Each structure stands twice: as C-alpha cells, then as structure tokens.
Amino acid sequence: MGSANGLTNGRGGHPLFAFGVITDVQYADIPNGHSFLGVPRFYRHSMLVLQRAVKSWNNNKNLNFAIHFGDIVDGKCPKDQSLNAVKKVVDEFENFKGPVYHMIGNHCLYNLPRDKLLPLLKIPNLDGGRAYYEFSPAPGYRFVVLDGYDISAIGWPHDHPKTLEALKFLRERNPNSDKNSPNGLEGLDRRFLMFNGAVGEEQMEWLDCVLRDAINMKQKVVVCCHLPLDPGASSQEPLLWNYDEVMDVIHQYDCVKVCLAGHDHEGGHSIDSHGIHHRVLEAALECPPVCLAGHDIYDGGHSIDPHRIHHPVLEAALEYPPGTIMLEQME
C-alpha cells in the first residue's frame, strides 16, 4: 500500500485499490478556539478542510472509498444546531464519488445519541445501537471497524446497562470527581477518562470470529477505531480503555497488518511487538492541511513513513507540503 500521490511499491505495479482518510473534522459554526492544552482549533475552517479533501479525492479518480475516523461535529456545537451540523458535514462527505465509511467518536456522541447518529452516518445498526462492522473492498482484504464507545458513559441512555458498566469502571479507576481529569493518575492509567470508552464482550467475540474467518479466507486485515490501540502511537490519555485486551485478540492471528485511529489530534506511529503498524491520524480540526488523504493498496509487504503528515492526495490540489503513509507489500 502506498500513498495516493503516485508512490509505488518499486515494482511498477498498479494498486489493487485506494482509499481516502480523514479524522476529527469536529465542525461547529462557532469562532475559533483552543484545546485544553492551548492548541488552536478552527471550527468553521474544518469544513473547508473537508471540502478540499473531498475535492482532492475526486480529482485523484482512483480512490475506491473513503473513511472518516469519527468526531464529525465538535462537542462545543450548540445543541440546538447539532442535528443540522451533522447533516451538513455528512452532505459534504456525500460529494465524494464513492462510498464513505464512518465510525463514531466522543464528540459525535456529545451531540446526538446513537439512535439518531447511526442512521445519519449510515452505520449498519444491526443490533440495538451496535456500531461495529466490516467490509471487503477487494479480494483478499478486509476492513474491521470497531466501536470504541461500545462501553461508554456517553451516547447511551443514562440508565442503559452499558452506561452503568462504564460509570462503575470509571469509579473504580479514576478517583477524580471530574472523570475527564487525569489528575493523580499515572502512566497508562491516565486513559481512564470519560471521553474514552471500551470494546464490550460481545464485540470482542465478534472480532475474534471475524479474524478467524479472515485467516480461513487468507485475507489481510486493516483494523479501524476512533481510539488508538497502541501506547507507542499515542499519548496515554486518548487510548481505548481495554486496548490491551483488544490487541490480545488481534495478536492471536497474523492476518492484521495495520491499525488506524484518530482521537489523539497530534497523530503518531508505532510498530508493535507482533510487527503490526499503528498509525494515529492528525486532526483536521487543528491542522489546516487535513490529516491524511489516501492510501493505495498493493499486493505484497509493507513499509511506512512514520513522519507527521498533513493531507494531500495530490500536493498541488491542496497547495500544502507533501506527506505520505506507505504500506507496501502487506505480507
């Protein structure tokens, strides 16, 4: 796999398929602001960033699909505007001449409950708010989209069993009255925050079955989740609560080659103990050149450029500095 700006695997081959990627658009019709760390956030401008991404995806003409890694609208969006804001961003994604796959993030759930959000994002809602699914864009390849807020204190009704489970989990691990505060938490325990979540038992069993099936079908797998799954690719605070349990399942099989995520706006890259690449994508909200635009998939092994990238599928189309991720020859 290589970037969609024309990089190849050195064999002169054509990609099996290519796809566009963007994360953390977090649009809101409000003035610019800052994160709690003081990083500038461009709430209205993020729509322009998305428009440029979609335009460049369409100009590329070779992208088979696009994936948005969650947080379509910012939590600061006025709640009486949430529904229209989500529809506005979804409509912009619909300008892409191909299918778009979404996943939910915490900011999505600050704005709308699951029962309203999932139909807007066209996430297959097969079982009472379930937001995890899979798809196969080409023979021999499977994408697995996880729901990192399966167990969560946000998005479910207040008395829902998954809400109650999440609140109990946080009480046992985070002594702060503000469960979004990591004060006093050390090391990887700093991930036990309310704006994160976990993969539940039923989803874990589903993941195990999907990966077992991929092995039987000799498929290579890309795992996608809003929340990062490896501490080496992310700061501690944005990690999935039970990333270690998820990776224990993934590491039982050798079919997973790449894990992609958002949420940690600075982005990052690591290669874990089993050789799986983890790439956390930079946030569109905080980076006027969007985080990332595309990948080409080649038949064969892999290499990856771990440097911070911005967006362009085509550098000239966006007039920003070039940046690429290459995953070539996924053996």
Side-chain angles (χ1 to χ4, degrees):
M1 164 194 254
S3 74
N5 61 6
L7 296 177
T8 67
N9 62 359
R11 301 179 184 179
H14 296 287
L16 297 174
F17 62 92
F19 62 102
V21 190
I22 190 171
T23 191
D24 295 84
V25 173
Q26 292 182 223
Y27 167 76
D29 188 12
I30 58 175
N32 293 341
H34 295 82
S35 71
F36 66 91
L37 295 175
V39 179
R41 290 185 165 182
F42 309 103
Y43 298 106
R44 292 185 178 121
H45 183 69
S46 66
M47 180 64 75
L48 177 59
V49 169
L50 174 59
Q51 290 169 349
R52 288 174 172 172
V54 171
K55 179 181 178 181
S56 65
W57 294 342
N58 286 331
N59 286 345
N60 183 268
K61 301 184 187 306
N62 293 318
L63 300 187
N64 300 73
F65 61 93
I67 308 179
H68 177 233
F69 280 76
D71 284 357
I72 195 166
V73 172
D74 195 83
K76 291 184 177 179
C77 178
K79 295 304 169 279
D80 60 348
Q81 299 178 22
S82 291
L83 181 59
N84 286 336
V86 171
K87 288 180 177 178
K88 183 176 181 178
V89 182
V90 168
D91 286 346
E92 196 57 52
F93 274 107
E94 291 297 313
N95 289 325
F96 172 57
K97 298 173 183 177
V100 178
Y101 297 95
H102 292 277
M103 63 199 77
I104 56 175
N106 53 309
H107 283 267
C108 303
L109 298 172
Y110 296 151
N111 281 275
L112 294 174
R114 283 173 176 259
D115 59 347
K116 295 187 182 298
L117 185 66
L118 298 189
L120 291 172
L121 300 181
K122 299 181 180 178
I123 293 176
N125 184 5
L126 302 177
D127 190 14
R130 164 179 161 175
Y132 51 92
Y133 59 97
E134 57 168 313
F135 64 95
S136 178
Y141 290 86
R142 188 182 299 205
F143 278 64
V144 174
V145 178
L146 298 179
D147 178 1
Y149 293 90
D150 185 9
I151 306 299
S152 171
I154 52 177
W156 298 103
H158 295 305
D159 59 350
H160 195 281
K162 293 190 176 186
T163 303
L164 299 178
E165 181 180 349
L167 291 173
K168 180 176 183 292
F169 181 94
L170 285 170
R171 283 195 301 270
E172 293 172 349
R173 292 163 176 81
N174 186 334
N176 297 303
S177 56
D178 177 5
K179 299 303 181 187
N180 276 325
S181 171
N183 288 342
L185 301 179
E186 297 183 359
L188 291 172
D189 285 353
R190 294 176 68 84
R191 73 186 187 275
F192 299 134
L193 304 172
M194 189 176 285
F195 58 67
N196 296 329
V199 167
E201 182 177 348
E202 183 178 335
Q203 184 179 175
M204 204 80 78
E205 293 173 356
W206 170 85
L207 174 63
D208 185 76
C209 289
V210 168
L211 297 182
R212 190 182 309 121
D213 188 54
I215 287 288
N216 292 335
M217 295 181 67
K218 296 180 169 49
Q219 292 176 316
K220 300 176 179 71
V221 176
V222 176
V223 173
C224 304
C225 185
H226 180 67
L227 296 154
L229 301 177
D230 187 72
S234 167
S235 56
Q236 296 156 340
E237 290 82 357
L239 288 164
L240 185 79
W241 287 343
N242 61 341
Y243 77 87
D244 48 347
E245 295 175 0
V246 171
M247 292 310 302
D248 283 345
V249 172
I250 289 173
H251 286 157
Q252 292 179 38
Y253 306 95
D254 63 1
C255 55
V256 177
K257 306 303 176 182
V258 183
C259 294
L260 299 175
H263 196 45
D264 186 348
H265 289 193
E266 291 187 1
H269 169 255
S270 65
I271 303 174
D272 70 22
S273 60
H274 286 63
I276 297 173
H277 284 269
H278 295 257
R279 185 64 168 90
V280 179
L281 311 175
E282 290 83 353
L285 173 68
E286 294 176 359
C287 192
V290 189
C291 350
L292 177 64
H295 294 298
D296 294 338
I297 309 295
Y298 292 89
D299 198 14
H302 64 264
S303 66
I304 192 164
D305 178 357
H307 300 294
R308 177 179 175 87
I309 63 170
H310 294 294
H311 184 280
V313 172
L314 298 175
E315 178 188 355
L318 294 184
E319 299 179 353
Y320 290 123
T324 63
I325 287 182
M326 291 187 296
L327 297 170
E328 299 178 354
Q329 318 209 22
M330 298 173 65
E331 303 269 1

